[in-house]
CSV table of all heavy atoms in Angstrom, one decimal:
chain,number,residue,atom,x,y,z
B,78,ASN,N,20.2,8.8,3.9
B,78,ASN,CA,18.8,8.6,4.4
B,78,ASN,C,18.3,7.4,3.7
B,78,ASN,O,18.4,7.2,2.5
B,78,ASN,CB,17.9,9.8,4.2
B,78,ASN,CG,18.4,11.1,4.9
B,78,ASN,OD1,18.6,11.0,6.1
B,78,ASN,ND2,18.5,12.1,4.1
B,79,TYR,N,17.6,6.5,4.5
B,79,TYR,CA,17.1,5.3,3.9
B,79,TYR,C,15.7,5.1,4.2
B,79,TYR,O,15.2,5.5,5.3
B,79,TYR,CB,17.9,4.0,4.4
B,79,TYR,CG,19.4,4.0,4.1
B,79,TYR,CD1,20.3,3.8,5.1
B,79,TYR,CD2,19.8,4.2,2.8
B,79,TYR,CE1,21.7,3.7,4.8
B,79,TYR,CE2,21.2,4.2,2.5
B,79,TYR,CZ,22.1,3.9,3.5
B,79,TYR,OH,23.4,3.8,3.2
B,80,ASN,N,14.9,4.4,3.3
B,80,ASN,CA,13.6,4.0,3.6
B,80,ASN,C,13.6,2.9,4.7
B,80,ASN,O,14.3,2.0,4.7
B,80,ASN,CB,13.0,3.3,2.3
B,80,ASN,CG,11.5,3.0,2.4
B,80,ASN,OD1,11.0,2.6,3.5
B,80,ASN,ND2,10.8,3.1,1.3
B,81,PRO,N,12.9,3.2,5.8
B,81,PRO,CA,13.0,2.3,6.9
B,81,PRO,C,12.6,0.8,6.6
B,81,PRO,O,13.1,-0.1,7.2
B,81,PRO,CB,11.9,2.9,7.9
B,81,PRO,CG,11.9,4.3,7.5
B,81,PRO,CD,12.0,4.4,6.1
B,82,SER,N,11.8,0.7,5.6
B,82,SER,CA,11.4,-0.7,5.2
B,82,SER,C,12.5,-1.5,4.6
B,82,SER,O,12.4,-2.7,4.5
B,82,SER,CB,10.2,-0.6,4.3
B,82,SER,OG,10.6,-0.1,3.0
B,83,LEU,N,13.6,-0.8,4.2
B,83,LEU,CA,14.7,-1.4,3.5
B,83,LEU,C,16.0,-1.2,4.3
B,83,LEU,O,17.0,-1.8,3.9
B,83,LEU,CB,14.8,-1.0,2.1
B,83,LEU,CG,13.7,-1.2,1.2
B,83,LEU,CD1,13.8,-0.4,-0.1
B,83,LEU,CD2,13.6,-2.7,0.8
B,84,LYS,N,16.0,-0.3,5.3
B,84,LYS,CA,17.2,0.1,5.9
B,84,LYS,C,18.2,-0.9,6.4
B,84,LYS,O,19.4,-0.7,6.2
B,84,LYS,CB,16.8,1.0,7.1
B,84,LYS,CG,18.0,1.8,7.7
B,84,LYS,CD,17.5,2.7,8.8
B,84,LYS,CE,18.7,3.5,9.4
B,84,LYS,NZ,18.3,4.5,10.4
B,85,SER,N,17.7,-2.0,6.8
B,85,SER,CA,18.6,-3.1,7.4
B,85,SER,C,19.3,-3.8,6.3
B,85,SER,O,20.3,-4.5,6.5
B,85,SER,CB,17.7,-4.1,8.2
B,85,SER,OG,16.8,-4.8,7.3
B,86,ARG,N,18.9,-3.6,5.0
B,86,ARG,CA,19.5,-4.3,3.9
B,86,ARG,C,20.2,-3.4,2.9
B,86,ARG,O,20.9,-3.9,2.0
B,86,ARG,CB,18.5,-5.1,3.2
B,86,ARG,CG,17.8,-6.2,4.0
B,86,ARG,CD,17.0,-7.2,3.1
B,86,ARG,NE,15.9,-6.6,2.5
B,86,ARG,CZ,15.6,-6.7,1.2
B,86,ARG,NH1,16.4,-7.3,0.4
B,86,ARG,NH2,14.5,-6.1,0.7
B,87,VAL,N,20.1,-2.1,3.1
B,87,VAL,CA,20.6,-1.1,2.1
B,87,VAL,C,21.8,-0.4,2.5
B,87,VAL,O,22.0,0.0,3.7
B,87,VAL,CB,19.5,-0.1,1.7
B,87,VAL,CG1,20.0,1.0,0.9
B,87,VAL,CG2,18.3,-0.8,1.1
B,88,THR,N,22.7,-0.2,1.5
B,88,THR,CA,23.8,0.7,1.7
B,88,THR,C,24.0,1.5,0.5
B,88,THR,O,24.1,0.9,-0.7
B,88,THR,CB,25.1,-0.1,2.0
B,88,THR,OG1,25.0,-0.9,3.2
B,88,THR,CG2,26.3,0.9,2.2
B,89,ILE,N,24.1,2.8,0.6
B,89,ILE,CA,24.3,3.7,-0.5
B,89,ILE,C,25.6,4.4,-0.2
B,89,ILE,O,25.8,4.9,0.9
B,89,ILE,CB,23.2,4.7,-0.8
B,89,ILE,CG1,21.9,4.0,-1.1
B,89,ILE,CG2,23.6,5.7,-1.8
B,89,ILE,CD1,20.6,4.8,-1.2
B,90,SER,N,26.5,4.4,-1.2
B,90,SER,CA,27.8,5.0,-1.1
B,90,SER,C,28.1,6.0,-2.2
B,90,SER,O,27.5,5.9,-3.3
B,90,SER,CB,28.9,4.0,-0.9
B,90,SER,OG,28.9,3.2,-2.1
B,91,VAL,N,29.1,6.8,-2.1
B,91,VAL,CA,29.5,7.8,-3.1
B,91,VAL,C,30.9,7.7,-3.4
B,91,VAL,O,31.7,7.5,-2.4
B,91,VAL,CB,29.0,9.2,-2.8
B,91,VAL,CG1,29.8,9.7,-1.5
B,91,VAL,CG2,29.2,10.2,-3.9
B,92,ASP,N,31.3,7.8,-4.7
B,92,ASP,CA,32.7,7.8,-5.1
B,92,ASP,C,33.0,9.1,-5.8
B,92,ASP,O,32.7,9.2,-7.0
B,92,ASP,CB,33.1,6.6,-5.9
B,92,ASP,CG,34.6,6.5,-6.2
B,92,ASP,OD1,35.2,7.6,-6.2
B,92,ASP,OD2,35.0,5.4,-6.4
B,93,LYS,N,33.4,10.2,-5.1
B,93,LYS,CA,33.5,11.5,-5.8
B,93,LYS,C,34.7,11.4,-6.9
B,93,LYS,O,34.5,12.1,-7.9
B,93,LYS,CB,33.9,12.5,-4.8
B,93,LYS,CG,32.7,12.8,-3.8
B,93,LYS,CD,32.9,14.0,-2.9
B,93,LYS,CE,33.8,13.6,-1.7
B,93,LYS,NZ,33.9,14.7,-0.7
B,94,SER,N,35.6,10.6,-6.7
B,94,SER,CA,36.7,10.6,-7.7
B,94,SER,C,36.2,10.0,-9.0
B,94,SER,O,36.7,10.4,-10.1
B,94,SER,CB,37.9,9.7,-7.2
B,94,SER,OG,37.5,8.4,-7.1
B,95,LYS,N,35.2,9.2,-9.0
B,95,LYS,CA,34.6,8.6,-10.2
B,95,LYS,C,33.3,9.3,-10.6
B,95,LYS,O,32.7,8.9,-11.6
B,95,LYS,CB,34.4,7.1,-10.1
B,95,LYS,CG,35.7,6.3,-9.9
B,95,LYS,CD,35.4,4.8,-9.8
B,95,LYS,CE,36.7,4.0,-9.8
B,95,LYS,NZ,36.4,2.6,-9.6
B,96,ASN,N,32.9,10.2,-9.8
B,96,ASN,CA,31.6,11.0,-10.0
B,96,ASN,C,30.4,10.0,-10.1
B,96,ASN,O,29.6,10.1,-11.1
B,96,ASN,CB,31.7,11.8,-11.3
B,96,ASN,CG,30.9,13.1,-11.1
B,96,ASN,OD1,31.0,13.8,-10.1
B,96,ASN,ND2,30.3,13.6,-12.2
B,97,GLN,N,30.3,9.1,-9.2
B,97,GLN,CA,29.2,8.1,-9.2
B,97,GLN,C,28.8,7.7,-7.8
B,97,GLN,O,29.5,8.0,-6.8
B,97,GLN,CB,29.7,6.9,-9.9
B,97,GLN,CG,30.9,6.1,-9.3
B,97,GLN,CD,31.4,5.0,-10.1
B,97,GLN,OE1,31.4,5.0,-11.4
B,97,GLN,NE2,31.8,3.9,-9.4
B,98,PHE,N,27.7,7.2,-7.7
B,98,PHE,CA,27.2,6.6,-6.4
B,98,PHE,C,26.6,5.2,-6.6
B,98,PHE,O,26.3,4.9,-7.8
B,98,PHE,CB,26.2,7.6,-5.7
B,98,PHE,CG,24.9,7.8,-6.5
B,98,PHE,CD1,23.7,7.3,-6.0
B,98,PHE,CD2,24.9,8.7,-7.6
B,98,PHE,CE1,22.5,7.5,-6.7
B,98,PHE,CE2,23.7,9.0,-8.3
B,98,PHE,CZ,22.5,8.4,-7.8
B,99,SER,N,26.5,4.5,-5.6
B,99,SER,CA,26.2,3.1,-5.7
B,99,SER,C,25.1,2.6,-4.7
B,99,SER,O,24.9,3.2,-3.6
B,99,SER,CB,27.5,2.2,-5.5
B,99,SER,OG,28.5,2.5,-6.5
B,100,LEU,N,24.5,1.5,-5.1
B,100,LEU,CA,23.5,0.9,-4.2
B,100,LEU,C,23.9,-0.6,-4.0
B,100,LEU,O,24.3,-1.3,-4.9
B,100,LEU,CB,22.2,0.9,-4.9
B,100,LEU,CG,21.0,0.1,-4.3
B,100,LEU,CD1,20.6,0.6,-3.0
B,100,LEU,CD2,19.8,0.0,-5.3
B,101,LYS,N,23.8,-1.0,-2.8
B,101,LYS,CA,23.9,-2.4,-2.4
B,101,LYS,C,22.7,-2.8,-1.6
B,101,LYS,O,22.3,-2.1,-0.6
B,101,LYS,CB,25.2,-2.6,-1.6
B,101,LYS,CG,26.5,-2.6,-2.4
B,101,LYS,CD,27.7,-3.1,-1.7
B,101,LYS,CE,29.0,-2.9,-2.4
B,101,LYS,NZ,29.0,-3.6,-3.7
B,102,LEU,N,22.1,-3.8,-2.0
B,102,LEU,CA,20.9,-4.4,-1.3
B,102,LEU,C,21.1,-5.9,-1.0
B,102,LEU,O,21.3,-6.6,-2.0
B,102,LEU,CB,19.6,-4.2,-2.1
B,102,LEU,CG,18.3,-4.7,-1.6
B,102,LEU,CD1,17.9,-3.9,-0.3
B,102,LEU,CD2,17.2,-4.7,-2.6
B,103,SER,N,21.2,-6.2,0.2
B,103,SER,CA,21.6,-7.6,0.6
B,103,SER,C,20.4,-8.5,0.8
B,103,SER,O,19.2,-8.0,0.9
B,103,SER,CB,22.5,-7.5,1.9
B,103,SER,OG,21.7,-7.0,3.0
B,104,SER,N,20.6,-9.7,1.0
B,104,SER,CA,19.6,-10.8,1.3
B,104,SER,C,18.4,-10.6,0.4
B,104,SER,O,17.2,-10.6,0.8
B,104,SER,CB,19.2,-10.7,2.7
B,104,SER,OG,20.3,-10.8,3.6
B,105,VAL,N,18.6,-10.5,-0.9
B,105,VAL,CA,17.5,-10.2,-1.9
B,105,VAL,C,16.6,-11.5,-2.0
B,105,VAL,O,17.0,-12.6,-1.9
B,105,VAL,CB,18.0,-9.8,-3.2
B,105,VAL,CG1,18.8,-8.4,-3.1
B,105,VAL,CG2,18.9,-10.8,-3.9
B,106,THR,N,15.4,-11.2,-2.3
B,106,THR,CA,14.3,-12.2,-2.6
B,106,THR,C,13.7,-11.8,-3.9
B,106,THR,O,13.9,-10.7,-4.4
B,106,THR,CB,13.3,-12.3,-1.5
B,106,THR,OG1,12.5,-11.2,-1.5
B,106,THR,CG2,13.9,-12.5,-0.2
B,107,ALA,N,12.7,-12.6,-4.4
B,107,ALA,CA,12.0,-12.3,-5.6
B,107,ALA,C,11.3,-10.9,-5.5
B,107,ALA,O,11.0,-10.3,-6.5
B,107,ALA,CB,11.0,-13.4,-5.9
B,108,ALA,N,10.9,-10.6,-4.3
B,108,ALA,CA,10.2,-9.3,-4.1
B,108,ALA,C,11.1,-8.1,-4.4
B,108,ALA,O,10.6,-7.0,-4.6
B,108,ALA,CB,9.7,-9.2,-2.7
B,109,ASP,N,12.4,-8.3,-4.6
B,109,ASP,CA,13.3,-7.2,-4.9
B,109,ASP,C,13.5,-7.1,-6.4
B,109,ASP,O,14.2,-6.2,-6.9
B,109,ASP,CB,14.7,-7.4,-4.2
B,109,ASP,CG,14.6,-7.3,-2.7
B,109,ASP,OD1,14.0,-6.3,-2.2
B,109,ASP,OD2,15.1,-8.2,-2.1
B,110,THR,N,12.8,-7.9,-7.2
B,110,THR,CA,12.8,-7.8,-8.6
B,110,THR,C,12.2,-6.5,-9.1
B,110,THR,O,11.0,-6.3,-8.7
B,110,THR,CB,12.1,-9.0,-9.3
B,110,THR,OG1,12.9,-10.2,-9.0
B,110,THR,CG2,12.0,-8.8,-10.8
B,111,ALA,N,12.8,-5.7,-9.8
B,111,ALA,CA,12.3,-4.4,-10.2
B,111,ALA,C,13.2,-3.7,-11.2
B,111,ALA,O,14.3,-4.1,-11.4
B,111,ALA,CB,12.2,-3.6,-8.9
B,112,VAL,N,12.7,-2.6,-11.7
B,112,VAL,CA,13.6,-1.7,-12.4
B,112,VAL,C,14.0,-0.7,-11.4
B,112,VAL,O,13.3,-0.1,-10.6
B,112,VAL,CB,12.8,-0.9,-13.5
B,112,VAL,CG1,13.7,0.2,-14.2
B,112,VAL,CG2,12.2,-1.8,-14.6
B,113,TYR,N,15.4,-0.5,-11.3
B,113,TYR,CA,16.0,0.4,-10.4
B,113,TYR,C,16.5,1.6,-11.1
B,113,TYR,O,17.2,1.5,-12.1
B,113,TYR,CB,17.2,-0.3,-9.7
B,113,TYR,CG,16.8,-1.4,-8.7
B,113,TYR,CD1,16.3,-2.6,-9.1
B,113,TYR,CD2,16.8,-1.1,-7.3
B,113,TYR,CE1,15.8,-3.5,-8.2
B,113,TYR,CE2,16.4,-2.0,-6.4
B,113,TYR,CZ,15.9,-3.2,-6.8
B,113,TYR,OH,15.5,-4.2,-5.9
B,114,TYR,N,16.0,2.8,-10.6
B,114,TYR,CA,16.4,4.1,-11.1
B,114,TYR,C,17.3,4.8,-10.2
B,114,TYR,O,17.1,4.8,-9.0
B,114,TYR,CB,15.2,4.9,-11.4
B,114,TYR,CG,14.2,4.4,-12.4
B,114,TYR,CD1,13.0,3.8,-12.0
B,114,TYR,CD2,14.4,4.6,-13.7
B,114,TYR,CE1,12.1,3.3,-13.0
B,114,TYR,CE2,13.5,4.2,-14.7
B,114,TYR,CZ,12.3,3.6,-14.3
B,114,TYR,OH,11.4,3.1,-15.2
B,115,CYS,N,18.2,5.6,-10.7
B,115,CYS,CA,18.9,6.6,-9.9
B,115,CYS,C,18.4,7.9,-10.3
B,115,CYS,O,17.9,8.1,-11.5
B,115,CYS,CB,20.4,6.5,-10.0
B,115,CYS,SG,21.1,6.7,-11.7
B,116,ALA,N,18.4,8.9,-9.4
B,116,ALA,CA,17.8,10.1,-9.7
B,116,ALA,C,18.5,11.2,-8.9
B,116,ALA,O,19.0,11.0,-7.8
B,116,ALA,CB,16.3,10.1,-9.3
B,117,ARG,N,18.5,12.4,-9.4
B,117,ARG,CA,19.0,13.6,-8.7
B,117,ARG,C,17.9,14.3,-7.9
B,117,ARG,O,16.7,14.4,-8.4
B,117,ARG,CB,19.6,14.6,-9.7
B,117,ARG,CG,20.3,15.8,-9.0
B,117,ARG,CD,21.0,16.7,-9.9
B,117,ARG,NE,20.0,17.6,-10.7
B,117,ARG,CZ,20.4,18.6,-11.4
B,117,ARG,NH1,21.7,18.8,-11.6
B,117,ARG,NH2,19.5,19.3,-12.1
B,118,VAL,N,18.1,14.6,-6.7
B,118,VAL,CA,17.1,15.2,-5.8
B,118,VAL,C,17.6,16.6,-5.4
B,118,VAL,O,18.7,16.8,-5.0
B,118,VAL,CB,17.0,14.3,-4.5
B,118,VAL,CG1,15.8,14.9,-3.7
B,118,VAL,CG2,16.8,12.9,-4.8
Side-chain angles (χ1 to χ4, degrees):
Chain B
N78 296 306
Y79 298 131
N80 187 325
S82 69
L83 299 169
K84 188 173 183 177
S85 63
R86 300 193 291 131
V87 172
T88 301
I89 298 175
S90 58
V91 64
D92 186 335
K93 290 186 283 187
S94 67
K95 294 183 178 179
N96 217 38
Q97 64 186 34
F98 62 107
S99 299
L100 167 70
K101 289 189 185 299
L102 181 65
S103 63
S104 303
V105 297
T106 69
D109 295 310
T110 293
V112 175
Y113 285 76
Y114 295 100
C115 56
R117 184 175 75 172
V118 186

